[in-house]
């Protein structure tokens, strides 16, 4: 079990909940009404700031139903919340592009997140040649 210190910027959204059993991703809610025209970009405020456990970051992605329900695509595809994003004003946001005219209402569950362990420290060791066999890529194994 890990503990996350959380600050809510509004009492208009339900508290975040870890639900055991179904999916361990945690839904995030819009903390304001947002009206968008097709093609608009917006940073949807998620109404929370958190201090993650040491050595963790968080990944934010859409819910499976986000596009169907709201007609928006997450502009950065996967949001990365660094552990250092833990100040009193570091509210989480979801960057979106509207594909149709749409309304997102306060307290709508718009995306989801999980925490992930930071990768180990990495140093790059430059070489002239790699000894592995070329694998090919980008369709090299065909279609079927
Ligand atoms: O979908 C996201 C992505 C990021 N963040 C917050 C947390 C993250 O730690 C911070 C900065 O993100 P990142 O470093 O990926 O963005 P940047 O474009 O490099 O901005 P910066 O200049 O703030 O580093 O913004 C969000 O709230 N939602």
């Amino acid at each position: 079990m890990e503990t996350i210190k959380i600050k809510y910027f509004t009492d208009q959204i339900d508290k975040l909940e870890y639900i055991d059993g179904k999916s361990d991703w945690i839904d995030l809610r819009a903390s304001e009404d947002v009206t968008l025209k097709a093609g608009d970009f917006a940073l949807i405020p998620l109404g929370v700031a958190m201090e993650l456990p040491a050595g963790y970051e968080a990944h934010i992605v859409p819910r499976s139903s986000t596009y169907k329900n709201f007609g928006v695509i997450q502009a950065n595809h996967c949001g990365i919340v660094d552990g250092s994003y833990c100040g009193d004003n570091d509210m989480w946001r979801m960057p979106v592009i509207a594909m149709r005219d749409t309304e997102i209402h306060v307290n709508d569950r718009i995306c989801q997140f999980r925490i992930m362990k930071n990768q180990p420290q990495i140093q790059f060791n430059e070489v002239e040649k790699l000894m592995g066999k070329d694998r090919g890529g980008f369709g090299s194994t065909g279609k079927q």
Side-chain angles (χ1 to χ4, degrees), residues 26-37:
I26 299 162
D27 286 344
L28 291 160
R29 295 168 185 271
S31 59
E32 286 173 26
D33 291 336
V34 180
T35 302
L36 300 170
K37 293 262 176 237

Side-chain angles (χ1 to χ4, degrees), residues 60 74 76 79-82 85 91-93 95:
I60 304 173
Q74 187 175 0
N76 55 355
I80 316 285
V81 181
D82 308 291
Y85 192 74
M91 183 169 63
W92 292 22
R93 292 184 168 80

Side-chain angles (χ1 to χ4, degrees), residues 26 109 116:
I26 299 162
R109 283 182 291 132
M116 309 282 288

Side-chain angles (χ1 to χ4, degrees), residues 2-34:
E2 293 285 356
T3 300
I4 296 179
K5 223 184 262 181
I6 185 164
K7 169 184 169 175
Y8 291 92
F9 290 81
T10 172
D11 56 12
Q12 285 194 284
I13 59 170
D14 291 0
K15 305 299 183 198
L16 301 202
E17 220 184 337
Y18 176 87
I19 299 172
D20 215 357
K22 206 168 158 203
S23 159
D24 62 2
W25 287 72
I26 299 162
D27 286 344
L28 291 160
R29 295 168 185 271
S31 59
E32 286 173 26
D33 291 336
V34 180

Side-chain angles (χ1 to χ4, degrees), residues 67-133:
Y67 187 75
K68 178 167 72 88
N69 289 337
F70 304 104
V72 298
I73 285 178
Q74 187 175 0
N76 55 355
H77 303 288
C78 173
I80 316 285
V81 181
D82 308 291
S84 57
Y85 192 74
C86 59
D88 191 50
N89 296 302
D90 285 343
M91 183 169 63
W92 292 22
R93 292 184 168 80
M94 181 193 192
V96 299
I97 300 164
M99 304 305 287
R100 57 168 168 83
D101 295 2
T102 185
E103 286 181 7
I104 296 159
H105 296 115
V106 65
N107 208 37
D108 283 347
R109 283 182 291 132
I110 183 90
C111 55
Q112 57 187 338
F113 83 99
R114 69 176 303 139
I115 59 171
M116 309 282 288
K117 276 208 164 128
N118 293 152
Q119 65 178 342
Q121 287 187 352
I122 290 180
Q123 63 173 5
F124 289 95
N125 176 18
E126 185 176 345
V127 295
E128 287 298 320
K129 193 169 164 53
L130 295 174
M131 299 318 288
K133 182 170 177 293

